[in-house]
Each structure stands twice: as structure tokens, then as C-alpha cells.
Amino acid sequence: MIRQTLRFAAIALWALLSACGSDTPPPDAAATAQTRKIERDGYAFEVGPVPAWVVAADIPPQWDADAPGAGDSRWRNWLFDRQADRRRGVRARYSDVAFEPVSAELVGDAGKYTIGFNPEYQRLVIHSAELRRDGAWSNRLDTGRITLARRETDFEADMATGVVSALIVFDDVRAGDVVRLRYSIVGENPVLGGSDSEVATFAWSDPILERRVRVLFDRDADVFEWRSPQIAPAQVARDGDAQEWKYVQRKIEGLHDEGGYPRWYSPYAQVRLAERRSWGEVATWAQSLYPQPQALPPDLELRLAQWRAIEPLDARVAAVLTAVQEDVRYFGVEIGDSTHKPAEPALTWTRRYGDCKDKARLLATLLQRLGVEAYPALVSSRNGKAIAQWPPGADAFDHVIVQVRLPDATLWLDPTQTLQRGPLRAIPVSELGVALPLAPGTKDLATVARPAQARDRIAVVERYAPAAAGREVVLTVRTDNEGTAADRARRDLKAQGREALQRRFVEYYRRRYGEVRETAALDVEDDEAANRFSTIERYTLVDPWESASPGERAIETWGDSLNQEVALPNTVERKTPLALRYPVEVEQRAELVVPEGWHWQGEDGESTLDDVAAEFTSRTETKSGEIVRTQLYRAKTPVVGVDDVAAHLRWRRQVHDSLGRRWRFALSPADADRERDRRLQGLLRGLIDENAGAAKRAKP
Amino acid sequence: MTRRRLAAFAFAVLSAAARADEPQHRDEAIGALWTQTFAQGDYDKIVRTYGDAALALGEGSGVDPALCKKHKARIDAAAQTNPVGIGVWRVAWRCAEADGEAGLAAQRRRRFEALVRHAFESVPPDAGRTPIRVLDEGDVAAVIAESGLDAIDLYYDTGRNWRYLELVVTLLDKEAGIERRLVFDVLDARMRLKRDRADAKFPTGRNDLAEALLKHGHESGSIAATRLLQTRQMLNARGTKFDMPIDVAVRDNNKVAIYTFAAMCTTSRENLECGTRHVDALLPYAEGRFSPALVWLAQAYRSGIGVPRDDNAARVLLDAADRRAGGVTGRLLLAQVLRRRGGETFELPAVLRGPIEAAARRGDLAAQLALVDAANTPAQTARWSALQRDAAKRAAEAGSAAGQYAWSLRLSAERRDDEAAGWLRRAAANDETRAQAALAQHYLRGEANGDDLKRAAHWYARAAHGGDRAAMLWLGRQALAQPDYAEAKGWFESGASSGNADAKVELATLLLYGKGSIPRDHQRAVALLRDVVDDPARTQARVDLAELLRFGVDVEHDAAEAERLLRLPTTPRDDAGVQFALAALLIDDPTTPARQAEGVALLRRAATTNDRAKIRLAARLWNGRGVERDRAAAEKLWLPLVEKGDLYAINEYAWALCASDDDAIVDGRKGLAVFKKNSADGPLPPAFQDTLAACQAAAGDYDDAVQTQIHALETMKASFPGEKATIAAFDARVALYKSRQRYREKPKAP
């Protein structure tokens, strides 16, 4: 009888909800009715029940015996449940996280949980905070232990984002407890105009027992899904006004992050969902944030007049680029509208700072005023070309550069860079892959190609000239940096200062050779037109020789410039692709003047170590009393594929092992015998004295 | 260094970090952690913790705060997973400190200190012969880093025993001008951590693990591992000029290779072409006062190799080496190598003997052991001086395993057998391999009962892990007798990899036939036999190898090599096995009648004593091949063997009765009756099933014949897939029996 009554009640409730039709209140309205707002430290959060649209998950009593982490994992994630409601343009995102610090060492981490939200357009609603110990759940929601603070974690990266962190502290957490927190964040940045996506990751550094993702769209929404192949397809259902996409994955292994990936690769399996829209629509949305600029200030108009006089066109564009890069400091205030809407060019110029979109808009505006077709272009500095597969959306991008359409070429310029010099057409941007130019008629992403003339080359010549007598060696080091390498070296000099740079250089040689005297200040030559930046160092090495035997001496040289290209990554046994710096060419030459009376104990030779991703050659030759060893590294591709990684890393090890070389010089046999006798006699005399001294000290 | 001094040193190492007002981890607690780790620790996970900890190391040996922060989770987890990893806890401590977590850092520092203290204090008092137990080279690096002393040497010992892979560290106490030599071992702890894994049971697994550790170390940039591999390369170049390897050693500052090279140049009986190269290589290190360099330069002066002979110079150098290394350590190093080269009759030269004896009288344990530990029999100890006897007694009482063993030998010589047995047991319990083997032999003396056998097996197993080859062989043979072929293979593999020829032959025999779960592996068997056939005493190995090459099953057929082996001047001509094998080779060669005749003659000679020869000769007599037909004589040879259940005789006789082309002599029922004499257990090999089927067909039991022949065919295909002709013949016989006809063997040419 009781069972029948309940069944009728359920039917009645269903009938009532069905009858509501389009008058159904917004998804979180039911929750809002019972929520309590708590203000703290100038910000606010709410406490309330789980919204009605959420399908709550259960936490099982036991961790499955066959699930990863059943043994002695340090941290176990029992549940990651993420649900989102996007119906009728609303954005409500519910999270249910439950985790267990298995190791006592990590109890501290489990007792603190941080949730970031932006109070300008988002509300944080905390539903529950619970803890399970010995099988029993207890309520741990103590609003007095929740603090809110604006934490500009990106401040050091010259950005202010306006994000507030809610820090929830759980007291008395012990190893083996399960901590569970349920909360929702309601709202989305209005500047996005609804062109955002739902993103969920299906792997973490520690094992996950169950990962659930559920997204509600409007019933008739055309949904665009992108999913990593390792994630099982969604269960899609239509119910009432909702189209539901649901993913459940269980027993997920902890992921070992190998690092060193190419920009477009992520080891974390992911799903991305959004209402279907085109890149053209995203471009149209973005263009609305870049309206016709207001009048420019007089001083900038004056500069425009000066730039207009510069010929040829490339030089004119380069001059403007340098001004925007170096006269306007990079600093971002990414709050509210400013997250995606750039400042007025006049303001950016006047205050002399701006973030990427401010600077890109300024550069594009100035170039347009000079009659050059130029547009801001949205890119992903974090994910590169991977975004091309994703649901088109505003949230795919995190950076803005400028597309310049010259009559005979398309250039991509990054106004946030500094100290880029050389021919305009040789100036590269990073390996961004694709961009969305905010030009009229843009329908799709465009490929960002690296300029054919762009170079990244370092050539080092170390010249060792031993003094005629004694053991001193005069060392001269000339380093020529070209292209991107010159930009880096120039920035290095500016950032560190000449004195610190010189100190760093000389310390390197001191570590290698012991006592080193600097015989001249660091010389710098900067040919900005050719983008060649050179340094010249001059030292005297007091006694760099190793005496292998009385008639022999040796000095070691090391191809350190090539070292960073062939050093092994942190994870050597890889299952993921490895990024290379590309295109990079590094040449290091050691020139050794053979000391008078000695001869070199070695032979000329040449060897090449080739690999699918890079090549290395080493050549040793003698000419007119000098030995010259030239080592050359050249990257052939920006990425080493998984299948080639093992061979490539073996190649790196082989190259690394051959970077060092000991040069041995010998006296004639008779001279060597005399030298040996002299040293042996010296040794014995010294020991006799030491033995006698020790015996004397030992006597009472 | 004595136990007390080691512990004191450990404290000194850590004194900079330790604070007296904080309670220390009790060593029993650390002992329990080790026990728990050995009982439950996951080998792979624990090994990985060192990689995780290393993520936080920056340039040099210190941690990098940024890397600590980046890899915090992995470092925390590593410390949790590996409760006894000195290197792991050091990184965890230093990272917590860098992160400003003072409380956690103090807690971790205490654990680190307790682990180091425990490691040092767990070493028995045996003058550094038992290394300090650690789990990874990273533990050693951590001790060095926190000692505040300069590590002037770090190398794996070339003359390693089986139980340990000794990593030698020499630290320089600059203030005292004294070297501190510490010996660590990773191998034994790693083996114990492997516990129940199959590769941990046998000593060969220990050897394989040592090689894997060195290879991995070399690939991960361990200088010590690389140097050992280089040194081995140099040692392998013996007999040729040393130029290349020693050049590499000098170039890479590989001191251990240079010292090894110098030791070989100045002590080897071979006439090595060292010239002055060893002196030149040693001189810079001698000038730097490194004690081993001083010792080997002294030996150069003693021997007059590379420098003019000068005993005074040698004495000056040895005095300096002793002063630098402490006690008489320099002289002991030289004594140890000279004794190894000199054999049992070796007498210490005067330049060494006086100072070593004086040190022994002063109570120096290392010196005492040097005077007594060459002894391996009671008879040797009977010739000891009073000083040596006293040294053995004092070393034994101090707790040294080597001393206890030597003292037990001496007591045995004095007929104090009970006391001798007690000291022997103590030495064995303290992992003295010689004592363990002796104790095992003790249990086997007289009429060993089941318990004695178990005890013997226990001590032999421990001795085997210490590298005792006789123990490995005995354990293998015991397992074979059970029979437990997998167990036998494990011990024989161990013996074979230790270079024991008997173990190689036993293993080859096991692989020749494939027993139990051990699959046949003729290629490996051939390789093993090839290793031993140069020994003139290995007649049976030569015969086995010749037979393998003659049959060419799974290996390349090479009758010429088989014949060469059997006709080697050192192969006994009167050995029936040799005669039979050679006869079979010659008879199988139809090209020259003379060779066939020689083969038959050899077969007749062999048949006087060799059963297989009798069976083969009987077959030839039955068919009149190469000899005059005489079936009565054939039966006379076969029947006694058939009665004994000899399967080969049964097979040949039954085949003769059932497969003949001559209906007059075919008797299927009799053939089947002969088959019943078979006493072998288990399934019949395919050739014997083939004979049985022939008899079933000859007796008119065609249905049985078909079944048996199909079984023979399947077995043949599975066991010898390369024997295509035989498989085709078996297949044809299935069809024959299905058509209800018996098999008739066509007469072969005589």
C-alpha cells in the first residue's frame, strides 16, 4: 500500500513538471530559493542544496580490488563528477569531488581545497563538505573556515585576472579518510557571448575510481563533440527540454606526465562539447570586440607621420613593430570585459602598457593607418594547432598576434615580443600552428607559417693558444648568434646586464679549468640589420692541463653550446612525442694551437651521426700547427614521433657522449723519461719529509 | 674501520644536521622498516622512487627548490613508498626545508639520520668485508652529499663476489689528511626485495641483476658503473697490448682501471707489455697522495717493473699509503693482491709482514684477518704461528665471520671439534660463504638422513648465493634426483654462469632431451658443450656434442666437426661411447665402403660393453646390413636388454618383428608382447609410437594402429617440426593403416 502511494506521488510530480513547459524556472532557481549568502572579505559565496537538474552520484563503500590504486597508491580519487547545464543560454557547472589521502604525508593537501571563480559574473554555491571515516560520513561544512581572497597568481606573468579563490579548510583529516566536496559555479563571462565549451579531462596524476561527465544542452541543440580516442562514446538521450550527453569511465590509471610535449599534444584524455558554430561565427563575435578605434593622441599621430616617411615598406612595418613591442610595456588586466576586449589603441599608447590583445590592436591600427592591411589574429599559445579539431569557440584562444597582408606576402607578428631585429620577413612567431584573423570575411582558421628566412643559429669559436713556456693558455671565445638566437642573446644581455653576463661566462670556464684570469671586458657586437649578435670573451687559463704522464699533457674541450639540444629529457622511456627546438643550428669550433716542442697524439677524422629528427657532424683537422674540431647540430623537425623517440634518445646519448674531447700532447721519449724521473724524485723526497714529520708528531 | 668507528663516523657525517635535543628514530624501528620493506615492498615501485627523488636534484648534489615544488607530489609519494631509501628521504627532507616546511623537514631529517645510522651500525665487525646495505646508488650519493667530505674515489669493485656488488667510496677528511673508505652494496638488498620472484631464487638471478644494475647505471650516467665496464674492457684486452683501454682509463680519470692495470703490470706472472705506462698513469695520483696509487707505485719499485728496483723507495711509498689510509691499510691492499697471485704457499714479504704483524698485535682487526684468512683447511692452520692463532681467536671473538671461520679450522686442527663446529655455525650464520659450504658438507658426512639433507641444502643454497660453485652443482644434482627439472636448471644455470664446467655439462644434458617443463634447446646445449670440450677429461661432452652435430636436430648438421671431436688425440679411443658415436658417423656415411667397414668394426668393439652399440649391431645383424645376417645373434643381443625394459632395444626388436618386408618373420602379436616390456613412465616418444602402430597393424588391429599413428604424427609435428621427411612418412603410414594394410620396410642396401 505504501509502495503504491509513492508511485502515484511520483506520477503526479512528473505530470506537474511536464505541464510547466517553457515556463520551467531557470535550472538553479530551485536551489537559489534555499541558498544562504555569506559575505566575507569583500566577496561572497553561497551555501545551498544540490540543484534539481543534477543527477547525484554515489561513492561506493570500498575501492574496487582490481582498480588502479588498490595497492599502495599515495592518493586516490574516488569520484570526479562534473555536470553542466547549458539550457536556454544559462551556464551552471556542478562539481562533485571525492578523494582520499592514502599517505599520511598528503593529509595536509587533502585538508585544503581551493575553488577559483570570478565574482564579476560568477556565483559560487557550496552544497556540501563531508568526510568519511571508518565507513561513516560526517558533515564538515563549516562556513567559518572558508576564506575568500583575490589571488593574482598570474601577477608575476604581468597579468591581473580578477579571479577570487575560495579556500575551504577541513580540520582533522587523517590518512584513509575520504573527503567529498560538492559545489556549483553559476555564470560565464558575458563577453564570450555564449561561445564557450565544456571541457573535461579523463586522467589525472593519481588513479580515479570513477569519472563522470554530464552536459545538458537544449533539446534541439546541434552539438559538436571532440573526444580523445581513449574515451568511450557518450550516451546521448533527449528528455523533456534537455539533450543529455553522459560519459562514465571507471578505474582510470594515474598518469605519468612525461613532459617535453609539442604544443599541440596533451597526454590527458579530454572531451570538449559545445553547440555547433563555425570559426567564421567566432570571428564575427571577436570582431565585435575590436570596433573602429577612436582618434589617436597627437604624439602618436606625429610618430605616424615619421613612420610614413620610412622606405621601403618592410622597414616602415618593422619600425612600427619595434615601437609597439618596446615603447609599450606588456601588462595585462584581464578582468571582466578586458579578458577578451582590447583597450582603445589611444589608451594603450598613452598609458604605455597593454596585454597581447591591446598591443595587437594597437599594432594593427597603426599599420592600417599607414595603409598596410593588418588584423589582430587569435591564437592558442598553449595548444597550437590542436584547436583546429575542437568545437569552434572563443575559449580556444589565449593569445593575440597580428596578421600583416603585404602585397607579396603574409606575415605574422607578435607585438608582445621584444628586441626582435633583422629583416622584417625573417621575424618568426612561435610554433602556433593556426590563427583566426579578425579580418572581414574570415570563415576559418589560417595556417601560421614560419618565414622561410627565419633563422636560429649559434656559432661558437673557442681558440686555445698555449703560452710558449709554462702552462698558461690564452683562450678567446667568439659567439655569433643569428636570427632568433640573436634576439635571445640580446634579451639576455638586457635582462642580466653586461657585468653579470660576463661573470656567468667566466664562471663556466672556471668550473672547467680552475683558475681563470679575465684579460679583457666582454665585447659585444650587435648588427641589428642582419640580426647578428656577437660576444667576444678573452681569458688566460692559468693551468688547464691535466698531466696524464710526465711526457704527456692533455686539455679537454666541450661542445657546451650543443649540450642543451642533445640533453636527455626528464623521462627517457617515453610513450609520447617529444618536441624539439626547431629550426635550430648550432656550431661549435675548438681551435687548439699545438704547444711548441710537443706533438698532438691524435688523428684527423670526421663522423656524422644521423637521426630522423636531427643530425650531428664532427670534424677534426690539423692545419699549420693548429687542430680544429668543428661540431655541428641541426634540427630537422619540430617533433619526434613516438615510434622514433627511443632511437632519437639513443642518438642524443651518443652525441652527448661525443661532445667532450681530450686533446693529448706528448714530448719526445727522451724528454718524457727525464720529466718522469724528475717527478718521481720529487715525489719521494716529499714523502720522506712527510713520513718523518708524521713520525715526529706521533712520538709522545 | 671498526664497527664503532664506522658508527662514530656516521654520526660525524651527520653531525652538522643533527640536533641533540630532538629524539632520534630508534634503530629497532628502522630495522622493522627494513623487515617490512623486504616482506611487502614492491620492487619496481621502490626502484622508481629513486628516479622520482632525482627529479628534484639540480646541478651538483643539492636539491633545486623550483624542482622540489614542481615534483612535490612525486617526492612525497616516493618517501611514502620507500621507507628505507636514504637518498629518497634526503631529497624529501631537503625539499621540505626548501619549501619552508620546518616541521616536516625536521621529521624527515630525523628519518634520514636514523637510516644512515642504522646502515652503518648494521655492518658486522669484519674490517669492511661486509658492505653497508643500501637499495640504490642514490643512497650512497646522499650519504656523500651530507657528509661534507670530498669523495675522491667512487667505483664498483672489479673483483666482486657473487653476494654483493660492492660500491667503494673513498672520502677525504682534509683536516686529518686521511682517507675514509666505505663499501656499500645494492645487490643483496635488491635480491631480498625481489623475494618470491623466480629470478631471485638462484644465484644466476643475482648475477643477472648485477649486470642489469651496471648497464642501467651506465645508461643513466653513473660514473662508477661506466668505469667498471671500462675496466672490464681493459681486462678483456689482456694478452694484447693495453694501449687503447688504458688510454681511455687515463683520459676518463678512471682510477680503478688505472690501479687494476698497475696491479696487473706489477704482480702478474704473465709478461705484460706495460713499459712505463702504469708508472705514468699512477704518477699524477701518487703526487695527489691517493693511497692506492702510492701502493702500486711501491709495488713497481719492489718488482722493478717500469722503474728501477728500489726497496727503500717502496717502503717510503707504503709508509705514506698507510699513513694516508689509516692503520696498515695500504700494505693490506698489496698483501691481498700478492696472496691472490701467490697461491697457498705465499709468504708475506718483509716490507709488509713486519708492520702488519705489529698492527695485529695492537689489535687491528683488518691486520689480524690478513694473517689468517687465507686458510681453507685445518692442516693449513696447524702451521700457524702463535701470533696467527691469537689473531684468529681475537678476530672470531670480535664477531668477524672470516675470523670465526679461520678459528673454527684451527680448533678443528686442535681436535676441539665441538668448539670448532660452534664457530663454524656462527661464521655460516654471518654469511661467510666458505663456512656455509663447509657446514653443508658437514651435514652430508656419514649417513645423512632427511633432516641432514635439508640442512645441507639450506647451507648450500646460502653458499651458492655467495658464489660457491660446488654448492650450485650439488643443489642442481639434488633437484635432478627428485626430479625437479626447473629447480635443477636454475642451479645448473647458476653454476654454468659462474664458469663451472660440470654445471655446463649437466645443463646441456638437461637441454639435450628437454625434461619436465624444460623445453629441448639443442642450440644452447651445443653452445654449452662447446665451452667445455677443449678439456681432455670431458669425453662424454665430446660424444654428446658430436651426436648433436651428427643428428643436426635444431642445430646445423656438421658431421665433419663431429668426427674431428671424436678423433681428437686427447679423445680416448677405447671409450665405448666414443667408439659407438664414431661408428654411427661412419656407417651413416655411404660414400666410402672403407669408412663403413671401419664403422662396423668400431660398432662391434663398442658392443662388447655399450648397450646402444649392442642394439645398433643387433639391427644390422637382423637385416644383414654391413655384416652377415644372423637373426639369432641379433636376438641374443636384444633380448637381455628387452627383459630389462630398455626402450631402445624394445623399439628396435619390435620394429624388426613388425615392419619387415618379409611376411615369414613378421609377428605382430609378438611385437606387441615385446612392447609390454617397456618400463618407461609417461608418454612414448613419437618414434616408439610409430613402432607400436606398426605392430598393431601387423597384428591386424588396424583401428588401434590408425589412432596410435595419428598420435605419433601429431607428437612429431609438435616436437620436431623441422623433421619433414619423418612427418611425411608418418602421414603416409596413417593412410596405409586406414586402408587396412601393414607397413613393409623396404630392405636397405647393405
Side-chain angles (χ1 to χ4, degrees), chain A residues 522-655:
Chain A
L522 178 71
D523 244 359
V524 174
E525 296 171 3
D526 193 356
D527 179 350
E528 294 193 353
N531 201 17
R532 179 194 293 261
F533 183 92
S534 307
T535 54
I536 299 108
E537 306 154 63
R538 294 182 186 85
Y539 310 110
T540 296
L541 313 180
V542 175
D543 185 4
W545 300 103
E546 290 174 27
S547 295
S549 70
E552 288 180 349
R553 58 168 58 174
I555 188 167
E556 194 174 63
T557 62
W558 172 256
D560 59 291
S561 312
L562 287 76
N563 189 39
Q564 71 159 332
E565 310 302 334
V566 298
L568 292 173
N570 278 344
T571 304
V572 176
E573 196 175 319
R574 300 178 68 89
K575 298 185 178 76
T576 57
L578 177 69
L580 289 192
R581 290 199 321 127
Y582 174 84
V584 167
E585 196 172 290
V586 185
E587 183 182 281
Q588 181 148 1
R589 198 161 83 224
E591 299 174 350
L592 291 106
V593 179
V594 179
E596 207 173 322
W598 297 72
H599 62 271
W600 175 44
Q601 294 186 304
E603 289 175 357
D604 290 2
E606 182 167 355
S607 68
T608 299
L609 295 171
D610 202 8
D611 174 61
V612 68
E615 67 182 12
F616 170 78
T617 56
S618 177
R619 192 174 64 247
T620 304
E621 52 195 335
T622 42
K623 40 189 174 189
S624 51
E626 284 183 19
I627 313 160
V628 179
R629 187 188 201 207
T630 310
Q631 294 171 300
L632 175 68
Y633 164 92
R634 191 172 66 81
K636 295 186 338 199
T637 171
V639 179
V640 191
V642 180
D643 293 344
D644 297 321
V645 160
H648 174 70
L649 294 182
R650 275 198 300 278
W651 174 87
R652 278 196 188 193
R653 191 175 285 120
Q654 216 178 339
V655 173

Side-chain angles (χ1 to χ4, degrees), chain B residues 458-490:
Chain B
H458 167 79
W459 288 113
Y460 261 146
R462 288 184 63 171
H465 276 271
D468 190 295
R469 295 170 179 187
M472 297 174 203
L473 191 66
W474 184 88
L475 289 160
R477 285 176 174 161
Q478 277 297 112
L480 210 54
Q482 296 301 315
D484 182 340
Y485 298 116
E487 174 98 5
K489 181 169 180 280

Side-chain angles (χ1 to χ4, degrees), chain B residues 627-686:
Chain B
V627 292
E628 196 173 331
R629 178 177 292 170
D630 184 345
R631 288 187 171 141
E635 284 186 316
K636 202 171 167 187
L637 285 168
W638 271 331
L639 282 171
L641 295 170
V642 167
E643 287 305 319
K644 279 200 298 187
D646 184 308
L647 196 55
Y648 291 93
I650 289 169
N651 190 53
E652 289 293 323
Y653 187 32
W655 186 254
L657 291 171
C658 303
S660 173
D661 194 38
D662 183 353
D663 287 332
I665 58 168
V666 167
D667 186 342
R669 295 281 160 217
K670 189 174 176 187
L672 288 172
V674 166
F675 241 93
K676 286 191 179 148
K677 305 278 185 190
N678 163 32
S679 59
D681 294 329
L684 288 171

Side-chain angles (χ1 to χ4, degrees), chain A residues 105 548 662 676 679 691, chain B residues 77 108 251 280 287 323:
Chain A
E105 291 276 325
R662 189 163 301 198
R676 181 185 311 109
R679 284 175 61 184
N691 290 347
Chain B
R108 289 175 171 177
R251 187 197 69 191
D280 290 346
E287 286 170 334
R323 196 159 38 73

Side-chain angles (χ1 to χ4, degrees), chain A residues 189-399:
Chain A
N189 193 345
V191 75
L192 294 176
S195 68
D196 60 329
S197 316
E198 298 304 322
V199 184
T201 301
F202 279 73
W204 203 243
S205 53
D206 300 294
I208 306 171
L209 188 59
E210 183 162 296
R211 173 54 158 147
R212 302 167 71 90
V213 174
R214 177 171 169 264
V215 183
L216 300 180
F217 292 94
D218 287 326
R219 182 184 176 88
D220 299 322
D222 180 5
V223 176
F224 186 130
E225 180 210 38
W226 179 83
R227 171 167 49 84
S228 303
Q230 52 270 57
I231 301 173
Q235 299 165 36
V236 182
R238 285 184 172 77
D239 184 15
D241 66 341
Q243 181 187 148
E244 179 193 65
W245 286 64
K246 199 166 79 182
Y247 302 84
V248 180
Q249 198 151 341
R250 289 178 51 74
K251 301 176 187 173
I252 302 171
E253 292 267 10
L255 188 140
H256 170 61
D257 195 340
E258 296 175 355
Y261 314 113
R263 199 181 293 258
W264 46 263
Y265 180 86
S266 168
Y268 295 92
Q270 217 176 60
V271 67
R272 289 176 168 262
L273 294 166
E275 293 80 4
R276 189 176 296 279
R277 64 183 84 87
S278 68
W279 288 114
E281 288 171 274
V282 177
T284 305
W285 158 79
Q287 281 165 32
S288 70
L289 304 175
Y290 290 72
Q292 201 59 30
Q294 295 166 6
L296 299 178
D299 66 319
L300 187 51
E301 288 291 355
L302 188 64
R303 292 288 293 273
L304 276 170
Q306 291 165 349
W307 287 327
R308 212 167 269 125
I310 298 176
E311 290 293 345
L313 176 60
D314 281 13
R316 197 182 312 147
V317 174
V320 180
L321 174 67
T322 304
V324 177
Q325 283 183 334
E326 289 162 33
D327 294 351
V328 179
R329 183 168 63 89
Y330 178 87
F331 180 73
V333 181
E334 306 212 328
I335 298 173
D337 268 8
S338 299
T339 53
H340 291 75
K341 190 172 179 179
E344 271 300 318
L347 177 64
T348 305
W349 179 261
T350 309
R351 70 188 182 189
R352 290 296 200 275
Y353 75 79
D355 62 13
C356 61
K357 55 190 177 299
D358 301 336
K359 295 182 82 165
R361 188 178 180 205
L362 173 63
L363 177 59
T365 302
L366 295 175
L367 290 175
Q368 282 163 7
R369 287 286 305 277
L370 293 171
V372 178
E373 194 178 354
Y375 306 100
L378 310 185
V379 294
S380 172
S381 65
R382 199 171 303 146
N383 300 298
K385 66 181 182 185
I387 63 167
Q389 311 166 65
W390 295 353
D395 54 358
F397 306 104
D398 60 5
H399 188 49

Side-chain angles (χ1 to χ4, degrees), chain A residues 72 74 103 105-106 256-257 546-550 653 662 664 676 679-680 683-684 687-688 690-691 694, chain B residues 45 73-74 77 80 108 219 247 250-251 276 280 283-284 286-287 289 297 301 316-317 319-320 323:
Chain A
D72 54 351
R74 47 169 228 122
S103 146
E105 291 276 325
L106 301 180
H256 170 61
D257 195 340
E546 290 174 27
S547 295
S549 70
R653 191 175 285 120
R662 189 163 301 198
R664 293 173 63 186
R676 181 185 311 109
R679 284 175 61 184
L680 283 168
L683 171 69
L684 288 167
L687 292 178
I688 289 167
E690 289 167 25
N691 290 347
Chain B
K45 285 182 182 167
R74 286 171 75 174
Q80 185 65 22
R108 289 175 171 177
E219 287 173 354
D247 277 1
V250 169
R251 187 197 69 191
T276 56
D280 290 346
L283 190 47
E287 286 170 334
R289 307 302 191 257
L297 202 50
Y301 276 113
V316 167
L317 286 157
D319 285 349
R323 196 159 38 73

Side-chain angles (χ1 to χ4, degrees), chain B residues 153-159 223-236 238 242-265 274 277-278 281-282 285 292-293 296 341:
Chain B
D153 262 344
L154 178 69
Y155 61 86
Y156 283 104
D157 197 352
T158 42
I223 294 169
T226 301
R227 287 181 176 170
L228 178 62
L229 296 175
Q230 266 181 1
T231 307
R232 281 190 190 165
Q233 186 191 1
M234 185 191 77
L235 292 173
N236 290 337
R238 287 182 74 167
F242 283 107
D243 290 5
M244 281 305 289
I246 198 63
D247 277 1
V248 173
V250 169
R251 187 197 69 191
D252 292 349
N253 294 325
N254 185 346
K255 289 199 280 278
V256 64
I258 291 168
Y259 299 155
T260 309
F261 171 68
M264 285 164 61
C265 290
C274 298
R277 296 192 72 82
H278 58 293
L282 289 170
Y285 298 107
W296 296 118
R341 304 269 196 267

